[in-house]
Amino acid sequence: MWWFQQGLSFLPSALVIWTAAAFIFSYITAITLHHVDPALPYISDTGTIAPEKCLFGAMLNFAAVLCVATIYVRYKQVHALNPEGKYITKLNKAGLVLGLLSCLGLSFVANFQKTTFFSVHICGAVLTFGMGSLYMFVQTILSYQMQPKIHGKQVFWIRLLLVIWCGVSAFSMLTCSSLLYSGSFGSNVVQKLHWNPQDKGYVLHMITTAAEWSMSCSFFGFFLTYIRDFQKISLRVEANLHGLTLYDTAPCPIDNERTHLLSKEF
């Protein structure tokens, strides 16, 4: 049995591979068609103009679905491992809400381009990166609470380093983008897709885009730490029938069916 066939470990793997592919394919398409500059464009700039925006939107929408599934499985796993821990239960529920909000933001980013719906796009980016960062922070606290009884200390330290990486990237991106869009560098900065080293704000632009790509990589690394955990879990779906037909009759007890949902037999 291959490693990705164990439990649900294929979920975080598929999430990272698919999302990275969405970034790479849209980037290559945008560069080939000269829609953006090769040197570190914004991730969303590579999905602003057709045809790459169609690819970018479709792939990121599916990535959001994979992210929802991954976050839900993680929630169920932590709940099953700590059924009586009130503090862990509250953190786990908070992590679920934060993660789902981040997925919603990812869908906004995919479907509302920066040059068309700037305010909606920015709200989506704040949800994606902001709520996603908080989700990582909550999961790191959960990892601290669960070690060494549930898993080893190295898992906590790896996730802590990734959260610090994410925090540094987020601070750099927020600071430089605030200065860049303050109005001191012209009113066309929002719509600008091509930058020259002689342009005002070029350094701030490059730091912001580098921080955005760096932050995305920290997200990828964090979800990859779920692979080993997800090898130890599978989910089931249970169909409860209230009768042998679909007519309006009195319910009668029957045998219910239990089927693996995304189990190791996938």
Side-chain angles (χ1 to χ4, degrees):
M1 181 181 295
W2 295 91
W3 60 269
F4 56 84
Q5 294 177 296
Q6 300 179 32
L8 297 174
S9 59
F10 69 90
L11 262 181
S13 308
L15 170 61
V16 172
I17 294 172
W18 184 268
T19 308
F23 293 169
I24 293 171
F25 290 159
S26 59
Y27 172 82
I28 292 174
T29 305
I31 292 299
T32 303
L33 298 176
H34 305 288
H35 290 164
V36 295
D37 298 322
L40 288 178
Y42 284 110
I43 295 175
S44 55
D45 282 357
T46 64
T48 298
I49 303 176
E52 61 266 20
K53 74 175 183 179
C54 305
L55 179 67
F56 186 78
M59 294 189 72
L60 278 194
N61 280 326
F62 186 67
V65 174
L66 288 174
C67 194
V68 168
T70 302
I71 288 169
Y72 179 73
V73 170
R74 176 61 179 174
Y75 165 77
K76 295 296 290 185
Q77 184 179 46
V78 173
H79 177 72
L81 292 171
N82 302 272
E84 298 179 357
K86 293 183 179 180
Y87 178 68
I88 291 182
T89 299
K90 291 180 180 179
L91 278 178
N92 195 30
K93 290 180 179 179
L96 176 64
V97 173
L98 291 170
L100 294 180
L101 287 174
S102 180
C103 296
L104 178 63
L106 183 61
S107 182
F108 282 178
V109 169
N111 295 287
F112 298 93
Q113 285 75 37
K114 183 184 75 172
T115 54
T116 308
F117 300 99
F118 180 73
S119 58
V120 180
H121 183 85
I122 291 301
C123 287
V126 170
L127 284 175
T128 302
F129 289 116
M131 298 300 102
S133 300
L134 291 176
Y135 171 79
M136 291 169 58
F137 180 71
V138 168
Q139 289 298 323
T140 302
I141 296 176
L142 286 172
S143 296
Y144 175 77
Q145 295 292 328
M146 293 165 63
Q147 56 90 30
K149 182 179 179 181
I150 304 299
H151 58 63
K153 293 183 179 181
Q154 65 272 19
V155 175
F156 162 70
W157 286 110
I158 291 173
R159 288 173 181 165
L160 179 61
L161 290 174
L162 288 167
V163 167
I164 294 173
W165 175 9
C166 178
V168 172
S169 300
F171 178 78
S172 302
M173 183 173 67
L174 181 62
T175 303
C176 294
S177 61
S178 298
L179 294 173
L180 186 62
Y181 292 105
S182 63
S184 303
F185 302 96
S187 58
N188 65 334
V189 174
V190 174
Q191 307 291 334
K192 198 169 185 177
L193 298 178
H194 295 278
W195 289 78
N196 296 314
Q198 297 79 17
D199 293 341
K200 292 182 178 180
Y202 178 79
V203 175
L204 289 175
H205 166 74
M206 294 301 294
I207 295 175
T208 304
T209 55
E212 184 185 44
W213 284 94
S214 175
M215 195 173 181
S216 299
C217 290
S218 70
F219 276 48
F220 292 161
F222 195 90
F223 280 110
L224 288 177
T225 65
Y226 282 174
I227 292 178
R228 189 172 181 182
D229 294 349
F230 278 32
Q231 289 177 340
K232 310 294 192 302
I233 185 175
S234 61
L235 296 182
R236 292 177 180 270
V237 58
E238 181 176 342
N240 294 315
L241 298 178
H242 297 167
L244 295 176
T245 69
L246 300 180
Y247 294 105
D248 294 331
T249 57
C252 60
I254 60 174
D255 294 332
N256 293 317
E257 177 189 0
R258 292 186 176 183
T259 308
H260 277 285
L261 175 67
L262 301 177
S263 66
K264 62 184 180 181
E265 286 83 7
F266 179 81

